[in-house]
Amino acid sequence: MRFSSLSIKQKLISILIIAVLASTLLVGTVQQFIARDMMETNMETAQLPNMVKQVANRVDKEVTLMKSVAFSIANNPDIIAWSAAGADKQGENRLVNYLGEIARFNDLTVTSFVDRNTHKYWNQEGFLRVLKNDQYDGWFFAYKDSGQETSLSLYNEPGQGYRLFANYQQTNGRGMSGVAKSVDELVDVLNSVKIAESGFIYMTDGEGTIIAHSNTDLLGKSHLRDVTSGQTANQLLQQQTFNLARGEEMLYASTYVKSAGWYVIAQVPENELYSQMDNASLSMIFWSLVIAGGFALLGVWLAGTISKPIENLAAVFKQLGDGHGDLT
């Protein structure tokens, strides 16, 4: 049916409905694009950076404290002089009490001192043993020969939970110390963080090996590239305060914890970021149709009141044209 063949009433109704639908959908579409852009910008520049940095700050706090404690024990001149003089029993009691006080004050599960020359090993419970280069104590000799002052590791030990270990050694001296702390609370915080519906946060070491994750099967076995991709892993494993990367369906973010040499990683499916926006779009379409229907009914009434006098006048002129009209 051609538009020109419609009655005045039908034309008015059609124009009114089209105007209402077009304006409502146009405004809604523009608002959706603006809101989506703002949401994406906010997620990439505020929410994700804040989430990973909050966890990173917690890790940095724990690591810095433990490294400081290990440093102070390993460089304690009284302990080193006592060990060099033969490590008598009286001095051993003082050492054990000292290690115990440090453990209690700093909420540590282990505080220890090792003489790098004699390989004698004490912790807060007393003298343990003389370390030997075997399957049990090989870590000591590997660390001693590494030439590195500090060593950090995070383990999920059966029956013990997550424990963070920090070691310090005098590379040109005889002092070495190791401290450990339960960090289940920190890992619980990490695992409890939810981004959108299923996004989460985890940690890797400096090489990208996963060391803290809600899926414990990945710990110490899987690399970041195994759960993302090689390109994404390279983008995330940059020693920057914030890194952002996009996978095929995921949005990733990371931050480097300088004190530990580790990375805090966040990932979230991109479609989940806009799920609420999509639901709002469907709601907008529904209400647009409802509003258009309401205005259509109003338009029918208005069109009737406007077009009826015109139609009556047209009928009169038609009668006049046919010679049947009466102007009196």
Side-chain angles (χ1 to χ4, degrees), residues 144-158:
K144 176 186 174 184
D145 297 336
S146 69
Q148 296 180 345
E149 288 187 340
T150 59
S151 170
L152 291 170
S153 54
L154 180 65
Y155 296 108
N156 184 20
E157 300 179 326

Side-chain angles (χ1 to χ4, degrees), residues 15 20 57 97 103 110-111 124 139 182 197 233 257 283 326-327:
I15 291 172
V20 171
N57 289 339
N97 291 334
V110 175
T111 53
Q124 75 275 12
W139 62 268
S182 173
E197 296 178 16
V257 186
S283 179
D326 185 2
L327 296 177

Side-chain angles (χ1 to χ4, degrees), residues 87-132:
D88 61 76
K89 189 65 178 179
Q90 184 178 2
E92 180 176 289
N93 292 333
R94 288 197 299 268
L95 171 63
V96 172
N97 291 334
Y98 171 68
L99 294 176
E101 289 176 2
I102 290 180
R104 285 189 295 273
F105 183 79
N106 294 286
D107 194 26
L108 301 172
T109 57
V110 175
T111 53
S112 65
F113 175 81
V114 184
D115 189 312
R116 296 176 73 249
N117 293 350
T118 64
H119 307 162
K120 291 182 178 180
Y121 181 27
W122 294 266
N123 70 8
Q124 75 275 12
E125 296 179 355
F127 176 72
L128 297 181
R129 62 187 180 277
V130 176
L131 299 177
K132 298 179 180 180

Side-chain angles (χ1 to χ4, degrees), residues 134-325:
D134 55 22
Q135 60 178 335
Y136 301 106
D137 300 331
W139 62 268
F140 164 76
F141 294 91
Y143 174 43
K144 176 186 174 184
D145 297 336
S146 69
Q148 296 180 345
E149 288 187 340
T150 59
S151 170
L152 291 170
S153 54
L154 180 65
Y155 296 108
N156 184 20
E157 300 179 326
Q160 298 289 335
Y162 279 92
R163 291 211 295 178
L164 175 63
F165 292 83
N167 301 302
Y168 180 88
Q169 67 172 340
Q170 294 178 320
T171 54
N172 295 316
R174 65 192 307 152
M176 177 188 290
S177 175
V179 298
K181 183 175 184 178
S182 173
V183 289
D184 282 339
E185 181 182 354
L186 172 61
V187 176
D188 288 342
V189 170
L190 184 149
N191 290 335
S192 67
V193 174
K194 293 299 180 187
I195 309 171
E197 296 178 16
S198 62
F200 56 94
I201 292 179
Y202 52 101
M203 288 198 303
T204 73
D205 64 15
E207 301 300 321
T209 301
I210 296 174
I211 57 175
H213 197 286
S214 56
N215 182 359
T216 56
D217 292 336
L218 301 177
L219 302 181
K221 303 174 184 177
S222 299
H223 191 275
L224 182 60
R225 61 175 171 268
D226 298 327
V227 296
T228 58
S229 68
Q231 180 180 359
T232 300
N234 290 336
Q235 291 177 296
L236 295 175
L237 297 178
Q238 300 293 322
Q239 296 182 6
Q240 306 291 336
T241 55
F242 183 69
N243 303 298
L244 188 70
R246 277 186 166 82
E248 293 184 0
E249 299 178 349
M250 291 282 184
L251 182 65
Y252 299 93
S254 71
T255 187
Y256 180 65
V257 186
K258 186 176 181 180
S259 60
W262 298 341
Y263 294 89
V264 177
I265 313 290
Q267 71 174 57
V268 57
E270 280 202 82
N271 65 317
E272 291 184 4
L273 299 178
Y274 309 114
S275 60
Q276 292 183 343
M277 186 69 65
D278 294 337
N279 292 334
S281 298
L282 294 175
S283 179
M284 182 196 71
I285 293 173
F286 170 76
W287 285 108
S288 295
L289 294 175
V290 171
I291 292 171
F295 273 95
L297 294 176
L298 179 62
V300 170
W301 178 77
L302 288 175
T305 59
I306 294 173
S307 63
K308 188 172 182 179
I310 298 175
E311 290 174 349
N312 291 338
L313 185 60
V316 171
F317 278 108
K318 186 176 184 302
Q319 291 176 0
L320 289 174
D322 294 339
H324 303 294

